[in-house]
């Protein structure tokens, strides 16, 4: 009987702890919606305008600390399977994070109908120092078309330093991409900066080792504390009828 009562008590404590974590998670999500920039769950994205009222920032900081301290790892994770749609827009700044620990952006392209004309997309990842000053950006430009009844995709891969200097490839063909169904990961802190996974699950690395200033880029990036992504198409384009774009963040 004593064992049964003890088992029920432990189960009740576990259930109550689970409910407590759920409540903390809901409060933290509300903080994010109101523009709170997380310090621990750095893969989480603040929504709307940045939170500026100190008492609200302090309250949300306490919520984040308690969520991290008292709830099991995995009880709350912004790195879910939920993809966030993005089209001709820029995300809010994400951070601050530890040096060289910024998350990677993964963009999923999903075809809606076959391409029948020339199309343009551009993805840029911006990096900022602790003062909020931009220190560099990556840029991957895609040109899609249908030539002789075949889907073709070509690209430029680049990075820019705000202090001056950049590196760009010549325009090249992505022959291994046969339709608009693929994912592209931007790992800005690696030589294999762009990693494209085709619909058959094969990963193709688009490296930047040809850049003479790659080491300079990596050194500048070590001072990054915030990041943001921009997806852009030609103004007035109907490309959304052909492909949708969504993203998630992957922590390092």
């Amino acid at each position: 009987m004593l064992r049964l009562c003890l088992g029920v008590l432990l189960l009740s404590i576990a259930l109550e702890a689970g409910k407590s974590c759920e409540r903390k998670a809901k409060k933290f999500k509300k903080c994010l919606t109101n523009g709170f920039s997380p310090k621990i769950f750095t893969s989480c994205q603040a929504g709307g305008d940045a939170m500026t009222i100190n008492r609200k920032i302090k309250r949300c900081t306490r919520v984040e600390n308690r969520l991290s301290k008292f709830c099991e790892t995995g009880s709350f994770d912004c790195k879910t399977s939920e993809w966030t749609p993005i089209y001709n827009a820029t995300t809010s700044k994400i951070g601050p994070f530890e040096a060289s620990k910024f998350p990677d952006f993964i963009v999923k392209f999903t075809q809606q109908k076959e391409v029948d004309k020339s199309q343009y997309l551009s993805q840029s990842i911006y990096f900022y120092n602790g003062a909020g000053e931009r220190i560099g950006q990556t840029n991957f430009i895609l040109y899609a078309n249908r030539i002789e009844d075949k889907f073709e995709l070509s690209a430029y891969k680049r990075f820019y330093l705000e202090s001056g200097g950049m590196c760009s490839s010549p325009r090249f063909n992505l022959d291994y991409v046969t339709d608009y169904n693929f994912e592209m990961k931007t790992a800005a802190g690696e030589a294999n900066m762009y990693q494209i996974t085709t619909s058959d699950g094969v990963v193709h690395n688009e490296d930047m080792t040809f850049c003479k200033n790659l080491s300079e880029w990596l050194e500048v990036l070590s001072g990054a504390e915030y990041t943001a992504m921009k997806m852009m198409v030609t103004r007035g384009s109907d490309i959304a009828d052909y492909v949708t774009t969504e993203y998630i963040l992957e922590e390092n």
Side-chain angles (χ1 to χ4, degrees), residues 3-45:
R3 288 182 180 178
L4 178 60
C5 290
L6 182 59
V8 172
L9 176 62
L10 291 174
L11 178 60
S12 298
I13 292 172
L15 289 173
E16 184 57 35
K19 291 178 181 178
S20 175
C21 285
E22 286 182 11
R23 290 193 292 270
K24 289 182 177 67
K26 286 181 180 179
K27 289 180 180 179
F28 185 58
K29 287 180 180 179
K30 186 176 180 180
C31 286
L32 293 171
T33 301
N34 291 333
F36 175 68
S37 294
K39 307 296 187 295
I40 299 172
F41 296 96
T42 54
S43 66
C44 299
Q45 182 180 338

Side-chain angles (χ1 to χ4, degrees), residues 17-252:
K19 291 178 181 178
S20 175
C21 285
E22 286 182 11
R23 290 193 292 270
K24 289 182 177 67
K26 286 181 180 179
K27 289 180 180 179
F28 185 58
K29 287 180 180 179
K30 186 176 180 180
C31 286
L32 293 171
T33 301
N34 291 333
F36 175 68
S37 294
K39 307 296 187 295
I40 299 172
F41 296 96
T42 54
S43 66
C44 299
Q45 182 180 338
D49 296 331
M51 186 178 289
T52 57
I53 300 175
N54 286 334
R55 60 181 174 80
K56 290 186 177 181
I57 294 174
K58 289 180 180 178
R59 185 187 308 136
C60 288
T61 299
R62 286 196 298 271
V63 170
E64 183 181 24
N65 287 338
R66 288 169 181 168
L67 181 64
S68 174
K69 184 176 180 180
F70 297 111
C71 298
E72 292 183 10
T73 302
S75 62
F76 186 84
D77 189 358
C78 287
K79 220 179 24 169
T80 67
S81 58
E82 296 180 5
W83 294 82
T84 302
I86 184 168
Y87 178 78
N88 228 22
T90 305
T91 69
S92 57
K93 286 184 184 178
I94 300 163
F97 38 76
E98 295 179 18
S100 302
K101 293 294 184 180
F102 47 82
D104 297 330
F105 283 90
I106 302 176
V107 178
K108 179 168 67 174
F109 297 76
T110 305
Q111 183 166 294
Q112 302 302 305
K113 66 178 183 179
E114 288 191 351
V115 171
D116 55 12
K117 59 184 177 181
S118 178
Q119 297 176 345
Y120 165 93
L121 303 92
S122 174
Q123 182 228 40
S124 295
I125 310 293
Y126 300 115
F127 296 92
Y128 306 84
N129 61 21
E133 301 165 332
R134 195 160 80 187
I135 57 177
Q137 73 174 85
T138 65
N139 180 235
F140 202 92
I141 297 176
L142 293 168
Y143 298 93
N145 208 344
R146 179 164 294 278
I147 300 176
E148 296 181 357
D149 202 34
K150 180 184 176 183
F151 177 85
E152 290 196 0
L153 194 65
S154 60
Y156 289 99
K157 49 185 179 180
R158 301 166 172 165
F159 64 72
Y160 297 87
L161 296 163
E162 292 299 314
S163 58
M166 57 90 70
C167 181
S168 175
S169 71
R171 185 165 171 171
F172 64 99
N173 292 326
L174 297 166
D175 295 326
Y176 51 83
V177 180
T178 57
D179 56 27
Y180 255 146
N181 295 302
F182 63 93
E183 293 179 10
M184 186 173 75
K185 174 181 174 180
T186 303
E190 300 179 20
N192 290 323
M193 195 171 294
Y194 303 101
Q195 301 165 20
I196 297 175
T197 304
T198 46
S199 54
D200 56 4
V202 178
V203 179
H204 304 264
N205 292 317
E206 293 295 341
D207 68 72
M208 301 294 284
T209 54
F210 60 89
C211 298
K212 294 181 179 179
N213 56 349
L214 178 60
S215 59
E216 181 185 359
W217 163 262
L218 295 175
E219 183 179 353
V220 168
L221 223 58
S222 67
E225 294 188 23
Y226 296 86
T227 186
M229 183 183 72
K230 180 178 183 178
M231 289 293 296
M232 187 176 72
V233 301
T234 306
R235 181 176 296 179
S237 171
D238 62 348
I239 197 169
D241 295 335
Y242 293 85
V243 62
T244 57
T245 48
E246 307 165 278
Y247 76 94
I248 57 173
L249 296 169
E250 182 177 86
E251 288 184 349
N252 287 309

